[in-house]
Amino acid sequence: MSESRTPDERDMPDWERRFRAPRVSLPDWAEDAPDRSLFVSNATGTYELYAWDRATGEQRQATDRPNGTTDGVLSPDGAWIWWFDDKDGDEFGIWRRQPFTGGPDEPAVPGLAPSYPAGLALSRDGRTAVVGRSTDDDGTTIHLAREGAAPVEIYRHRESAGVGDLSHDGSLIAVEHTEHGDAMHAALRVLRPDGTTVAELDDTKGGTEELGLEVLGFAPVDGDTRLLIGHQRRGRWEPLVWDVATGEETDLALDLPGDVSAEWYPDGSALLIAHGFEARSELFRYDLAARELTRIPTPPGTVSGATARPDGSVEYLWSSAAEPPAVRSTAGGVVLDPPPADAGGTPSMACPPSVPVEDVWVEGPGGRIHALIQKPAGATGPLPTVFDLHGGPTWHDSDSFAAGPAAWVDHGYAVIRINYRGSTGYGRAWTDALKHRVGLIELEDVAAVREWAITSGLADPARLVLTGASWGGYLTLLGLGTQPDAWTLGIAVVPVADYVTAYHDEMEALKAMDRTLLGGTPEEVPDRFAASSPLTYVDQVKAPVYISAGVNDPRCPIRQIDNYVKRLESRGAVHEVYRYDAGHGSLVVDERIKQVALELDFARRHLGA
């Protein structure tokens, strides 16, 4: 350690320093004022929004709330910072705005009542906003709000929908919707500002397979009616250009094996391509006129965000499991350092590295399963092993930096992360496979990897921890009940525990997703909800259980967790519960460190590791 560090920092373990070390997100920049940027950082100990004037180098903390703020956007003219104001992490609130240069916050759209957010698009002059809202009573509504006038509703439907984008000249609005009832596969509609329809595209019609679409953005040129979209017509996500005025579709047909996303270069002549394959990612430039794909060099690992700048350079947020994240540029070097740790300009502590991941492929009941393994340097098995299951479920673990798994490795554990069926990045069929037998499908894959970990000599079968957050927490509780002899203990973070109660209490968009996954409501398909609910199997749980939950969580609400805990209590099962005053996780660094410390201590006491 450097002698310039404070005594407190010298005494701090590496795992804690990884959480405390300030980070920055990929800066969002204003389309017509590219020197003005907005980013997120935890420099103060809470994740908040920061304004950054690239011309002067000045950085200013724009939001300051006890539970943090991460949902914000710059107006294209660079004049305003819009940010979403909820209460203590409940995700229900209103948009506020403040001048980029600083000043008081004000309601951004007076007249719109609080809701869950469902997308936002702003006009270039900052005077018009397209605001998506979701409530339990109304489903999804979309409103056009012009400065000085009352907002006007231009869309309404019970099923989930969201604002995709606003065209460069403000004449077209792209909407993703699931009016057909499949929340996993959206259709597209393009509206005029008065709400009338210009064009529609729905790949869920006319076939036996459900194929989804997504909005990637209108061309950044006045009068240009090209819309960049994502599709799944060849079994994975790929981009195409749809001219909504003529109906012409330009299929890029890129010869890349994984999921592909894209965004426009600022002049509309090319696309920035992001390709994700087998838990890693890479970037390309695609010239639309020449139809040429050129690789943009990036280090091996994961690019979790990228943007093309007006000068043609590309900025990207990169990390690997071993190396902490940094915002880099193809023009060279690191783009953005974290703000000082305090107003006096105290330098921030460095983030310690971790160990790289090893790739393992295991044959499972639904095909080859990709697992990522980290273990202490030089360690040989059998080791106490943590099976850390990702959330989503439509998400995936990657070769990227994560302080949580690194903390377990520091304490002598091997960590296995599994891209089970339902994960993204391995094709549409792999993602869609979890329908109807929800949770049970994923746990079949977890069981296959567990068996490999034991027979390979990596994992000690007497010291196996099943853990995860959100959907991973749900799978943890479900796995403890359906595979009671497989696990030594379980640690479930913000989980679904009682699926029926969770459905009735959760935010409306997640109700739609559950209806898609399970084929109906709890009243329509009670057997499926019962089969997939951890509460059904709670009396079979043998392992000690640790649960942490946010009391304001709209995704995995607290009442259904309390129902599960009461059943554990009724039979004297070994368990501990930690409730904290936030939502679906915390944006406060001290709180997150406290939670990880409690999890590590729970495992130490029950494993002796």
Side-chain angles (χ1 to χ4, degrees):
M1 270 186 205
S2 168
E3 289 305 315
S4 64
R5 294 192 182 113
T6 66
D8 285 347
E9 186 179 345
R10 287 198 298 268
D11 294 339
M12 190 181 297
D14 279 357
W15 76 264
E16 183 176 340
R17 287 173 53 218
R18 292 193 195 97
F19 284 97
R20 294 200 184 281
R23 309 183 190 284
V24 292
S25 68
L26 181 72
D28 177 27
W29 54 275
E31 182 179 1
D32 293 329
D35 280 342
R36 293 189 167 189
S37 294
L38 185 70
F39 66 93
V40 176
S41 179
N42 65 334
T44 64
T46 301
Y47 285 88
E48 296 286 1
L49 296 169
Y50 286 76
W52 174 32
D53 188 327
R54 296 177 185 235
T56 65
E58 180 185 358
Q59 296 179 2
R60 179 183 66 83
Q61 185 177 338
T63 55
D64 185 7
R65 301 194 301 156
N67 282 303
T69 315
T70 59
D71 197 353
V73 66
L74 273 179
S75 61
D77 62 0
W80 295 95
I81 296 170
W82 286 55
W83 60 277
F84 193 76
D85 183 11
D86 64 351
K87 183 179 179 181
D88 296 331
D90 67 359
E91 302 182 44
F92 195 85
I94 65 170
W95 286 98
R96 297 188 184 276
R97 68 177 189 172
Q98 66 173 255
F100 178 84
T101 54
D105 293 306
E106 63 184 31
V109 189
L112 284 186
S115 68
Y116 297 112
L120 173 72
L122 303 176
S123 66
R124 290 175 65 192
D125 62 6
R127 296 178 178 274
T128 302
V130 184
V131 184
R133 302 172 64 254
S134 173
T135 66
D136 293 342
D137 293 334
D138 296 329
T140 303
T141 59
I142 295 175
H143 303 259
L144 186 76
R146 300 189 190 277
E147 195 166 286
V152 177
E153 183 181 299
I154 60 173
Y155 177 91
R156 174 182 290 262
H157 202 277
R158 281 299 314 167
E159 297 293 344
S160 58
V163 177
D165 197 20
L166 180 65
S167 65
H168 201 252
D169 60 8
S171 65
L172 300 170
I173 300 163
V175 173
E176 297 178 0
H177 71 83
T178 59
E179 295 173 6
H180 49 280
D182 183 347
M184 291 182 71
H185 302 96
L188 305 183
R189 181 172 300 145
V190 177
L191 307 174
R192 300 180 183 90
D194 63 3
T196 58
T197 298
V198 175
E200 299 207 48
L201 198 59
D202 186 353
D203 279 6
T204 67
K205 293 181 178 179
T208 57
E209 295 181 308
E210 299 292 317
L211 304 174
L213 300 169
E214 63 178 353
V215 173
L216 300 177
F218 279 106
V221 180
D222 271 350
D224 197 327
T225 55
R226 293 176 300 166
L227 179 64
L228 184 63
I229 68 171
H231 69 90
Q232 294 177 295
R233 294 170 182 174
R234 284 185 287 265
R236 63 186 187 277
W237 281 109
E238 300 177 82
L240 67 79
V241 178
W242 175 36
D243 190 323
V244 301
T246 67
E248 179 183 4
E249 298 178 16
T250 303
D251 188 352
L252 306 186
L254 303 175
D255 187 21
L256 297 170
D259 284 342
V260 180
S261 187
E263 70 167 47
W264 297 94
Y265 271 75
D267 63 0
S269 67
L271 301 176
L272 176 59
I273 301 293
H275 174 230
F277 183 56
E278 295 184 350
R280 291 167 181 85
S281 52
E282 55 187 348
L283 299 176
F284 298 85
R285 185 183 190 274
Y286 182 80
D287 186 288
L288 287 163
R291 298 183 70 85
E292 291 180 351
L293 188 69
T294 304
R295 191 177 188 278
I296 298 171
T298 58
T302 296
V303 174
S304 53
T307 184
R309 293 279 292 165
D311 64 0
S313 65
V314 173
E315 295 178 352
Y316 58 96
L317 182 62
W318 175 91
S319 73
S320 70
E323 297 183 59
V327 179
R328 303 186 178 194
S329 172
T330 56
V334 173
V335 173
L336 175 64
D337 290 319
D342 56 40
T346 302
S348 303
M349 70 174 67
C351 183
S354 186
V355 298
V357 294
E358 303 171 21
D359 296 82
V360 171
W361 293 86
V362 177
E363 290 297 330
R368 294 172 73 232
I369 307 160
H370 190 191
L372 303 173
I373 315 296
Q374 288 178 282
K375 59 185 179 182
T380 58
L383 299 169
T385 301
V386 174
F387 290 74
D388 188 2
L389 307 183
H390 70 73
T394 51
W395 191 246
H396 66 274
D397 278 314
S398 61
D399 181 8
S400 58
F401 197 78
W408 288 106
V409 173
D410 283 3
H411 285 78
Y413 296 83
V415 177
I416 301 179
R417 291 179 285 167
I418 303 166
N419 285 332
Y420 50 74
R421 277 173 289 175
S423 301
T424 54
Y426 301 85
R428 177 174 51 82
W430 190 259
T431 302
D432 289 357
L434 55 77
K435 283 187 177 180
H436 297 176
R437 292 186 63 242
V438 173
L440 305 174
I441 286 282
E442 300 96 296
L443 287 169
E444 290 177 355
D445 293 348
V446 173
V449 176
R450 175 189 176 277
E451 180 64 21
W452 167 85
I454 293 171
T455 57
S456 70
L458 171 66
D460 179 350
R463 295 185 292 173
L464 301 182
V465 180
L466 187 60
T467 187
S470 191
W471 196 265
Y474 157 65
L475 292 178
T476 295
L477 295 184
L478 188 65
L480 295 177
T482 59
Q483 304 168 353
D485 296 317
W487 307 106
T488 316
L489 62 87
I491 299 173
V493 179
V494 290
V496 172
D498 168 3
Y499 216 142
V500 174
T501 302
Y503 174 86
H504 289 301
D505 289 358
E506 68 193 3
M507 57 201 303
E508 184 60 34
L510 293 182
K511 287 187 173 73
M513 178 61 77
D514 283 338
R515 291 194 296 271
T516 295
L517 290 173
L518 290 155
T521 68
E523 292 70 34
E524 293 166 339
V525 288
D527 291 346
R528 287 179 183 169
F529 271 83
S532 293
S533 178
L535 188 66
T536 302
Y537 312 97
V538 64
D539 291 339
Q540 280 71 57
V541 172
K542 298 179 180 179
V545 185
Y546 176 90
I547 299 173
S548 64
V551 297
N552 305 314
D553 192 344
R555 298 173 181 267
C556 298
I558 194 68
R559 184 168 70 107
Q560 52 94 26
I561 292 173
D562 288 341
N563 291 346
Y564 186 90
V565 171
K566 288 175 184 176
R567 288 281 294 275
L568 291 175
E569 291 172 343
S570 70
R571 63 185 187 87
V574 178
H575 71 283
E576 295 178 19
V577 183
Y578 174 68
R579 299 173 178 85
Y580 57 93
D581 189 17
H584 198 62
S586 177
L587 300 176
V588 179
V589 174
D590 280 341
E591 175 60 42
R592 182 64 184 131
I593 290 171
K594 178 181 180 180
Q595 292 178 26
V596 173
L598 289 170
E599 293 165 15
L600 291 166
D601 181 64
F602 183 81
R604 178 191 59 79
R605 287 185 282 113
H606 290 281
L607 290 184

Short mmCIF file of all heavy atoms in Angstrom, two decimals, residues 277-297:
data_model
loop_
_atom_site.label_atom_id
_atom_site.label_comp_id
_atom_site.label_asym_id
_atom_site.label_seq_id
_atom_site.Cartn_x
_atom_site.Cartn_y
_atom_site.Cartn_z
N PHE A 277 -20.79 -11.82 -26.57
CA PHE A 277 -20.74 -13.25 -26.87
C PHE A 277 -19.97 -13.97 -25.78
O PHE A 277 -18.84 -13.61 -25.45
CB PHE A 277 -20.06 -13.47 -28.23
CG PHE A 277 -20.01 -14.91 -28.68
CD1 PHE A 277 -21.18 -15.65 -28.80
CD2 PHE A 277 -18.80 -15.51 -28.97
CE1 PHE A 277 -21.13 -16.97 -29.23
CE2 PHE A 277 -18.75 -16.83 -29.39
CZ PHE A 277 -19.91 -17.57 -29.52
N GLU A 278 -20.62 -14.97 -25.18
CA GLU A 278 -20.00 -15.83 -24.18
C GLU A 278 -19.35 -15.02 -23.06
O GLU A 278 -18.18 -15.20 -22.71
CB GLU A 278 -19.00 -16.80 -24.83
CG GLU A 278 -19.69 -17.78 -25.77
CD GLU A 278 -18.76 -18.82 -26.36
OE1 GLU A 278 -17.52 -18.67 -26.19
OE2 GLU A 278 -19.26 -19.76 -27.00
N ALA A 279 -20.14 -14.06 -22.52
CA ALA A 279 -19.80 -13.30 -21.31
C ALA A 279 -18.73 -12.24 -21.53
O ALA A 279 -18.21 -11.69 -20.56
CB ALA A 279 -19.38 -14.24 -20.18
N ARG A 280 -18.42 -11.93 -22.79
CA ARG A 280 -17.49 -10.85 -23.09
C ARG A 280 -18.03 -10.01 -24.24
O ARG A 280 -19.00 -10.42 -24.89
CB ARG A 280 -16.10 -11.41 -23.41
CG ARG A 280 -15.45 -12.01 -22.16
CD ARG A 280 -14.22 -12.84 -22.48
NE ARG A 280 -13.67 -13.41 -21.26
CZ ARG A 280 -14.08 -14.55 -20.71
NH1 ARG A 280 -15.07 -15.24 -21.28
NH2 ARG A 280 -13.54 -14.99 -19.59
N SER A 281 -17.43 -8.86 -24.47
CA SER A 281 -17.99 -7.98 -25.48
C SER A 281 -16.89 -7.26 -26.26
O SER A 281 -15.74 -7.19 -25.83
CB SER A 281 -18.93 -6.96 -24.84
OG SER A 281 -18.33 -6.29 -23.77
N GLU A 282 -17.27 -6.72 -27.42
CA GLU A 282 -16.36 -6.01 -28.29
C GLU A 282 -17.15 -4.98 -29.09
O GLU A 282 -18.38 -5.06 -29.18
CB GLU A 282 -15.63 -6.98 -29.23
CG GLU A 282 -16.57 -7.84 -30.06
CD GLU A 282 -15.84 -8.91 -30.87
OE1 GLU A 282 -14.60 -8.85 -30.98
OE2 GLU A 282 -16.52 -9.80 -31.41
N LEU A 283 -16.41 -4.02 -29.68
CA LEU A 283 -17.03 -2.91 -30.41
C LEU A 283 -16.58 -2.91 -31.87
O LEU A 283 -15.46 -3.32 -32.20
CB LEU A 283 -16.64 -1.58 -29.77
CG LEU A 283 -17.07 -1.33 -28.33
CD1 LEU A 283 -16.52 0.01 -27.85
CD2 LEU A 283 -18.58 -1.39 -28.18
N PHE A 284 -17.49 -2.40 -32.73
CA PHE A 284 -17.21 -2.26 -34.15
C PHE A 284 -17.81 -0.95 -34.66
O PHE A 284 -18.76 -0.42 -34.07
CB PHE A 284 -17.82 -3.41 -34.98
CG PHE A 284 -17.29 -4.77 -34.64
CD1 PHE A 284 -17.84 -5.51 -33.60
CD2 PHE A 284 -16.25 -5.33 -35.37
CE1 PHE A 284 -17.37 -6.77 -33.30
CE2 PHE A 284 -15.78 -6.60 -35.08
CZ PHE A 284 -16.33 -7.32 -34.03
N ARG A 285 -17.30 -0.46 -35.78
CA ARG A 285 -17.92 0.62 -36.52
C ARG A 285 -18.46 0.04 -37.82
O ARG A 285 -17.76 -0.66 -38.54
CB ARG A 285 -16.91 1.74 -36.83
CG ARG A 285 -17.54 2.96 -37.52
CD ARG A 285 -16.48 3.99 -37.87
NE ARG A 285 -17.06 5.25 -38.31
CZ ARG A 285 -17.44 5.53 -39.55
NH1 ARG A 285 -17.31 4.60 -40.51
NH2 ARG A 285 -17.96 6.71 -39.86
N TYR A 286 -19.75 0.33 -38.10
CA TYR A 286 -20.37 -0.16 -39.33
C TYR A 286 -20.71 1.03 -40.22
O TYR A 286 -21.53 1.87 -39.85
CB TYR A 286 -21.64 -0.96 -39.02
CG TYR A 286 -22.31 -1.53 -40.25
CD1 TYR A 286 -21.84 -2.70 -40.84
CD2 TYR A 286 -23.41 -0.90 -40.83
CE1 TYR A 286 -22.44 -3.23 -41.97
CE2 TYR A 286 -24.02 -1.42 -41.96
CZ TYR A 286 -23.54 -2.59 -42.52
OH TYR A 286 -24.14 -3.10 -43.64
N ASP A 287 -20.04 1.11 -41.37
CA ASP A 287 -20.29 2.18 -42.33
C ASP A 287 -21.52 1.81 -43.17
O ASP A 287 -21.51 0.79 -43.87
CB ASP A 287 -19.07 2.36 -43.23
CG ASP A 287 -19.21 3.55 -44.15
OD1 ASP A 287 -20.01 3.48 -45.11
OD2 ASP A 287 -18.52 4.57 -43.91
N LEU A 288 -22.58 2.63 -43.08
CA LEU A 288 -23.84 2.27 -43.74
C LEU A 288 -23.74 2.32 -45.26
O LEU A 288 -24.33 1.48 -45.95
CB LEU A 288 -24.94 3.20 -43.24
CG LEU A 288 -25.41 2.94 -41.81
CD1 LEU A 288 -26.19 4.13 -41.27
CD2 LEU A 288 -26.25 1.68 -41.74
N ALA A 289 -23.02 3.28 -45.81
CA ALA A 289 -22.92 3.38 -47.26
C ALA A 289 -22.08 2.25 -47.84
O ALA A 289 -22.46 1.61 -48.82
CB ALA A 289 -22.34 4.74 -47.65
N ALA A 290 -20.93 2.00 -47.24
CA ALA A 290 -20.04 0.96 -47.73
C ALA A 290 -20.42 -0.43 -47.24
O ALA A 290 -19.90 -1.43 -47.75
CB ALA A 290 -18.60 1.28 -47.33
N ARG A 291 -21.29 -0.50 -46.22
CA ARG A 291 -21.68 -1.76 -45.58
C ARG A 291 -20.44 -2.52 -45.10
O ARG A 291 -20.31 -3.74 -45.29
CB ARG A 291 -22.54 -2.62 -46.51
CG ARG A 291 -23.85 -1.96 -46.91
CD ARG A 291 -24.70 -2.86 -47.78
NE ARG A 291 -25.23 -3.99 -47.05
CZ ARG A 291 -26.36 -3.97 -46.31
NH1 ARG A 291 -27.06 -2.86 -46.21
NH2 ARG A 291 -26.77 -5.07 -45.69
N GLU A 292 -19.54 -1.79 -44.46
CA GLU A 292 -18.30 -2.36 -43.97
C GLU A 292 -18.27 -2.33 -42.44
O GLU A 292 -18.61 -1.32 -41.82
CB GLU A 292 -17.10 -1.59 -44.52
CG GLU A 292 -16.88 -1.78 -46.00
CD GLU A 292 -15.68 -0.98 -46.52
OE1 GLU A 292 -15.14 -0.16 -45.74
OE2 GLU A 292 -15.31 -1.20 -47.68
N LEU A 293 -17.80 -3.44 -41.87
CA LEU A 293 -17.69 -3.58 -40.42
C LEU A 293 -16.21 -3.54 -40.05
O LEU A 293 -15.42 -4.33 -40.55
CB LEU A 293 -18.32 -4.90 -39.98
CG LEU A 293 -18.46 -5.15 -38.48
CD1 LEU A 293 -19.50 -4.21 -37.88
CD2 LEU A 293 -18.86 -6.61 -38.22
N THR A 294 -15.84 -2.60 -39.17
CA THR A 294 -14.46 -2.45 -38.74
C THR A 294 -14.37 -2.57 -37.24
O THR A 294 -15.08 -1.87 -36.50
CB THR A 294 -13.91 -1.07 -39.16
OG1 THR A 294 -14.07 -0.90 -40.57
CG2 THR A 294 -12.44 -0.94 -38.79
N ARG A 295 -13.49 -3.45 -36.77
CA ARG A 295 -13.37 -3.67 -35.33
C ARG A 295 -12.70 -2.47 -34.67
O ARG A 295 -11.72 -1.91 -35.18
CB ARG A 295 -12.57 -4.94 -35.05
CG ARG A 295 -12.63 -5.37 -33.58
CD ARG A 295 -11.89 -6.69 -33.36
NE ARG A 295 -12.11 -7.17 -32.00
CZ ARG A 295 -11.44 -6.75 -30.93
NH1 ARG A 295 -10.49 -5.84 -31.08
NH2 ARG A 295 -11.69 -7.23 -29.74
N ILE A 296 -13.22 -2.09 -33.49
CA ILE A 296 -12.62 -1.05 -32.66
C ILE A 296 -11.87 -1.75 -31.54
O ILE A 296 -12.49 -2.45 -30.72
CB ILE A 296 -13.71 -0.13 -32.09
CG1 ILE A 296 -14.45 0.59 -33.22
CG2 ILE A 296 -13.11 0.88 -31.12
CD1 ILE A 296 -15.67 1.37 -32.75
N PRO A 297 -10.56 -1.62 -31.46
CA PRO A 297 -9.80 -2.37 -30.45
C PRO A 297 -10.20 -1.99 -29.03
O PRO A 297 -10.23 -0.81 -28.66
CB PRO A 297 -8.35 -1.97 -30.74
CG PRO A 297 -8.35 -1.48 -32.16
CD PRO A 297 -9.69 -0.84 -32.36
#
